[in-house]
Amino acid sequence: MSRLPKRKPGRRKSRPGRGALWIIAALFVLSGGSQLVQFGAWAREATGPAHETEAAKPEDDCIDDAGFMAMLADLKVREAKLVEQEGLLSDRRNALALAETRLEARLNDLVAAEEALSKTVAVADGAAEKDVGKLVALYENMKPKQAAPLFAEMDPNFAAGFLARMRPASAAAVMESLEPKTAYAISVLMAGRNAGAPRD
């Protein structure tokens, strides 16, 4: 039976598979590094134009100082005109409100004056009616020969108004005492007034 040679205690033999593993690992690292380099180049290409566009965009869209100042001056002029127009409109509104207040006050005064005038006219009409009634009663109580000269001096319209209010007998007695021409004129006026009266 043959004996195996004894190993020396201080040395170990290297395994043949370890070298291949190191080589494969190094290849993976190199491959990953090249991919990282390619990814970085791709990222620069992707982001580079955008940054350049963004950097160039304000310059393209930027308005020069002269144009901006002209636009600002135009806006200020328009603002001043609007403020002026608003002030004019406010003044007109205030003037219209004041005129409306004055007009309303005058209308109220006119209404009050009209009411007072109506009351005065009513009182005057009532007083005049009373006076006319008193005169009619007075003429009725007078003798026809005494009342006839008074009616002869009156305007025919006025005389016809009094005779129309008197009792028929008293009015007929006065008419008999008047001259025929005067009595005829008064009769015509009285007939014309009665012609417009409604008939049953």
Side-chain angles (χ1 to χ4, degrees):
M1 195 173 170
S2 62
R3 295 182 181 178
L4 295 172
K6 293 182 180 179
R7 295 181 182 175
K8 293 182 180 181
R11 296 179 66 183
R12 290 185 180 177
K13 290 184 179 179
S14 60
R15 295 181 182 177
R18 282 190 176 181
L21 289 176
W22 283 107
I23 292 171
I24 292 172
L27 291 175
F28 274 120
V29 170
L30 291 175
S31 175
S34 65
Q35 289 181 358
L36 285 175
V37 171
Q38 290 177 356
F39 178 76
W42 175 80
R44 280 194 302 273
E45 290 177 359
T47 57
H51 288 299
E52 291 176 0
T53 304
E54 290 177 359
K57 187 175 181 180
E59 295 178 359
D60 295 338
D61 295 342
C62 183
I63 302 174
D64 57 349
D65 292 340
F68 178 76
M69 294 304 293
M71 183 175 66
L72 184 61
D74 186 41
L75 288 176
K76 286 183 178 180
V77 170
R78 291 184 182 181
E79 182 182 5
K81 287 182 180 179
L82 289 175
V83 170
E84 183 180 359
Q85 290 177 358
E86 185 177 358
L88 291 174
L89 289 175
S90 178
D91 292 341
R92 288 180 182 177
R93 282 196 296 267
N94 293 334
L96 287 174
L98 182 61
E100 185 177 357
T101 302
R102 290 179 179 177
L103 181 61
E104 187 175 356
R106 289 183 181 179
L107 287 175
N108 292 334
D109 293 342
L110 287 175
V111 169
E114 185 178 1
E115 291 177 355
L117 181 61
S118 298
K119 291 179 181 179
T120 302
V121 169
V123 171
D125 288 344
E129 185 66 25
K130 288 181 181 179
D131 292 340
V132 170
K134 288 179 181 180
L135 285 173
V136 169
L138 178 65
Y139 292 144
E140 285 178 345
N141 293 325
M142 290 176 66
K143 292 181 180 179
K145 291 184 179 181
Q146 294 175 344
L150 296 176
F151 279 91
E153 293 296 326
M154 292 181 188
D155 181 84
N157 287 306
F158 197 65
F162 275 112
L163 289 171
R165 286 174 172 264
M166 292 173 64
R167 291 190 298 268
S170 299
V174 172
M175 291 286 286
E176 287 178 0
S177 301
L178 290 172
E179 292 182 0
K181 290 183 180 180
T182 304
Y184 177 76
I186 293 174
S187 298
V188 170
L189 290 172
M190 291 178 68
R193 289 182 181 181
N194 293 329
R199 299 178 181 179
D200 294 337

